[in-house]
Amino acid sequence: AARKKGSGAYEVYHPDMMTIAVNNTRMLTNLNQAMTNNEFLVYFQPIVKLEDSSVIGAEALIRWNSKVYGMVAPYIFIPLAEESGLILSIGRWVLHESCRQLSEKIKAGWPADFELHINVSVRQLMQPDFYGYITTVLDEFNLSPKNLTLEITESLIMESNPVIKDQLTRIRAFGISIAIDDFGSGFSSLSYLHNLNFDCLKIDRDFVSSVLNSAKSEAIISAVIRLADGLSVPLIAEGIETQEMAQKLFKLGCLRAQGYYFGRPIPLEEWDMPIY
Ligand code: C2E
Ligand code: MG
Ligand code: MG
Ligand code: MG
């Protein structure tokens, strides 16, 4: 079981690849039960303006506190959930639960324009009722579409799948923002940017983490900053871990950021930074 080490810190289960393969079936059985056992949590990580470190929003990040494994990292169980289709119910839960929590905070005085970022998987976007579910949840909690940004990670089918394109069009027409997550890694390409409409770019942590010691990373980041400017979409730099990194990114022209330097993902009730 996960032993609590301090505020928001847990031991996390990181098995090696062999252990993953052997135990996949057993883990899937446990993952199937996780919802009914109330083992999921949503943590929130602040998204800030680099200019003054003020908080403009948060990214919701799921946590699985398993009775069997302890805290399981998303990179272990999200792929399992995607393969098995469980991501559909998990994704609905994350959306509902994080909207519920934000609405409590707004009732308690947080700004009504607080930006909530939620990760959605391509499997969710392929559901024809996805758009309808989101609007129902926003309605239930009296939130505006302006509160919500859906983060999607690029994948090959995105550009060509008509159901996905239709969902994204309706979602954006309603006023919800779409962010391209982990831009620069994986399947990202300029044709992808060309073929999809989106409202925000998040540059992958891998480029950000080497910006201080690699001229190449700096050149790539500068180019992505100019790209976002040219497309008139905000850019968020992920993975800012030090003040030096924050200052460097700001100097290069990046206005928004996220990372351990500003705040780790923690339960919303443990947030202690000022929200205006
Ligand atoms: P992501 O959406 O790119 O989320 C950012 C990840 O970077 C998070 O990992 C966050 O904890 C981590 N991070 C943030 N700042 C720093 C930093 O300064 N340094 C370092 N080393 N890491 C930082 P996390 O929470 O483990 O999530 C991993 C991935 O799992 C997410 O990447 C996202 O793709 C996926 N994920 C998380 N929650 C959900 C969810 O509710 N639904 C879906 N479909 N995927 C999710
Ligand atoms: Mg994300
Ligand atoms: Mg990301
Ligand atoms: Mg990622």
Side-chain angles (χ1 to χ4, degrees), residues 60-104:
L61 293 156
I62 192 171
R63 296 292 178 261
W64 177 21
N65 190 10
S66 158
K67 285 185 189 65
V68 177
Y69 305 100
M71 273 298 180
V72 186
Y75 81 89
I76 302 291
F77 73 89
I78 293 287
L80 260 185
E82 283 181 350
E83 280 163 40
S84 62
L86 272 175
I87 194 69
L88 299 178
S89 54
I90 292 174
R92 279 194 293 270
W93 180 84
V94 170
L95 183 74
H96 191 268
E97 178 60 16
S98 50
C99 284
R100 186 191 67 75
Q101 292 195 32
L102 176 60
S103 74
E104 293 300 320

Side-chain angles (χ1 to χ4, degrees), residues 153 181-182 204-205 238:
T153 305
D181 205 350
D182 303 331
D204 195 67
R205 195 165 78 221
E238 305 189 298

